[in-house]
Amino acid sequence: MTDGTITTAKLGDHGPEVGVQGLGCMGMSFAYGPADADASRATLERALELGVTLYDTADAYGAGENERFLSPFFKAHRDEVVIATKFALSIPADEPTRRVIRNDPPYIRQAVEASLKRLDVEAIDLYYMHRRDVNVPIEESVGTMADLVREGKVKHLGLSEVTAGELRAAHAVHPIAAVQSEWSLFSRDIETHVVPAARELGVALVPYSPLGRGFLTGSFTRAEELSSDDFRRQQPRFTGDNATANAPLLELIRSVARAHDASPGQIALAWVHQQATLRDLPVIPIPGTRKPSRVEENTAATRIVLTDEQLDLLDGIAAQVAGNRYADMTFTSAGRE
């Protein structure tokens, strides 16, 4: 659009209308090293000016601190934003760095009340199951989530890192608006099963880490360049021989970027956005950033259209990537398909 704002899309057959690009807010208080609170607040405001309306957080991000940080912004713009948060990663009181996956009904109720309090809102627009506990029937968990909708505490339901079978089972209990999973030029495992199931059911895909946690922007080439408390130091593809093998793959992205007078990150985002047309389902990526200038760069990527030749060139990158996206893939859909 001429004024720089992004267009909108429906978050699946059963979800709200949102900007075609959302904002991942985790890094504003968790995982990616020190953050500047003032810059993060300015980023939230600039994103909204550009038409970004879906803001993504979770109770596990900074043990609730991310929800608390976002609360004033949400309250100031309650009628303009769609708040997405998540439950499932319980933090033991005596082990603050550990996460325990819980999907049992009592925990879900405890978690939603805590998030509502931290966010200081009457209802959560999109409530995700963050990770799947295979020891609890998904029908039982989603049944409790559906009760929260009926009680007015939650408006729409989402799932994160579920298999196609789990998505179908959940959707049979209550309509699912969105499935969140990692999806990028480097991470394409959901395309085999999850994407077709989402298209069949009318569920939107919300790709997290569409920029490969920053790797696809070229901002770093190996984990050792990052601060000591950066979460990416634990991820296999950014360390050792894997990082050495993956860095040259960025040159293909740079070559396409030069043709569009764009940044590598914009090409990576444009590729994700174009999957909506290629695969016939809503795709609303949520790149994370803490800088207003990066939001401007990221949203501009929604206006880049890659040629068939460029798509073919980029298509082969994922097969060459060394290392998994997590050290333990059992917590992902790909680890259970």
Side-chain angles (χ1 to χ4, degrees):
M1 299 176 68
T2 55
D3 63 356
T5 59
I6 60 176
T7 58
T8 63
K10 203 165 187 300
L11 201 62
D13 290 350
H14 305 282
E17 192 87 7
V18 296
V20 294
Q21 187 176 115
L23 180 65
C25 301
M26 178 178 75
M28 294 180 179
S29 53
F30 177 71
Y32 294 149
D36 182 316
D38 289 338
S40 293
R41 292 187 192 97
T43 300
L44 294 168
E45 296 288 351
R46 184 60 179 140
L48 188 59
E49 290 172 353
L50 292 168
V52 174
T53 57
L54 177 63
Y55 293 80
D56 186 89
T57 181
D59 59 4
Y61 298 163
E65 284 306 312
N66 198 237
E67 290 178 327
R68 292 188 187 94
F69 174 78
L70 295 169
S71 177
F73 170 74
F74 291 155
K75 289 188 70 176
H77 302 284
R78 188 64 190 97
D79 295 336
E80 303 169 82
V81 301
V82 174
I83 301 170
T85 192
K86 315 177 195 73
F87 75 89
L89 298 181
S90 173
I91 304 173
D94 57 343
E95 297 181 80
T97 61
R98 187 174 169 229
R99 302 291 185 270
V100 177
I101 299 177
R102 290 188 61 181
N103 293 171
D104 56 285
Y107 179 75
I108 295 172
R109 288 195 166 278
Q110 172 188 330
V112 75
E113 294 297 343
S115 285
L116 287 167
K117 183 176 180 180
R118 285 189 293 265
L119 293 165
D120 195 16
V121 295
E122 294 183 357
I124 294 164
D125 299 311
L126 178 59
Y127 200 41
Y128 285 102
M129 177 192 294
H130 203 163
R131 290 293 184 270
R132 170 91 172 95
D133 179 358
V134 297
N135 298 308
V136 179
I138 197 163
E139 296 85 352
E140 185 177 328
S141 301
V142 176
T144 300
M145 295 169 71
D147 288 340
L148 300 179
V149 175
R150 285 186 282 271
E151 294 164 13
K153 296 176 181 178
V154 169
K155 296 180 182 179
H156 305 281
L157 302 185
L159 303 170
S160 180
E161 291 289 0
V162 292
T163 67
E166 291 164 349
L167 173 57
R168 288 191 177 95
H171 195 76
V173 175
H174 187 279
I176 302 299
V179 167
Q180 190 174 125
S181 189
E182 188 166 354
W183 196 8
S184 72
L185 284 168
F186 265 35
S187 301
R188 299 182 58 180
D189 49 72
I190 66 168
E191 294 174 13
T192 304
H193 301 290
V194 177
V195 170
R199 181 175 59 245
E200 168 196 327
L201 299 171
V203 176
L205 250 296
V206 178
Y208 70 82
S209 300
L211 293 171
R213 300 190 184 275
F215 192 83
L216 296 176
T217 69
S219 60
F220 75 100
T221 56
R222 53 193 313 113
E224 290 79 4
E225 300 169 20
L226 304 170
S227 62
S228 59
D229 58 347
D230 195 300
F231 168 73
R232 290 168 289 186
R233 282 177 167 263
Q234 305 169 26
Q235 296 189 294
R237 60 180 48 163
F238 304 138
T239 59
D241 292 342
N242 290 339
T244 301
N246 291 333
L249 298 177
L250 298 178
E251 186 51 42
L252 287 173
I253 303 172
R254 292 190 186 100
S255 69
V256 176
R258 288 191 287 271
H260 286 272
D261 193 22
S263 69
Q266 287 178 314
I267 297 306
L269 277 174
W271 180 89
V272 173
H273 279 290
Q274 216 152 325
Q275 300 310 303
T277 300
L278 295 173
R279 300 180 187 276
D280 190 28
L281 82 167
V283 178
I284 316 292
I286 49 169
T289 185
R290 302 176 289 199
K291 298 178 180 179
S293 61
R294 290 299 186 195
V295 168
E296 294 167 0
E297 178 181 330
N298 292 346
T299 53
T302 65
R303 296 182 285 278
I304 296 174
V305 179
L306 304 173
T307 67
D308 290 344
E309 182 180 8
Q310 291 167 343
L311 289 167
D312 288 343
L313 181 67
L314 297 170
D315 196 51
I317 291 177
Q320 303 176 62
V321 174
N324 285 325
R325 50 194 179 96
Y326 289 102
D328 184 354
M329 288 290 286
T330 62
F331 300 120
T332 70
S333 59
R336 297 193 306 279
E337 289 284 10

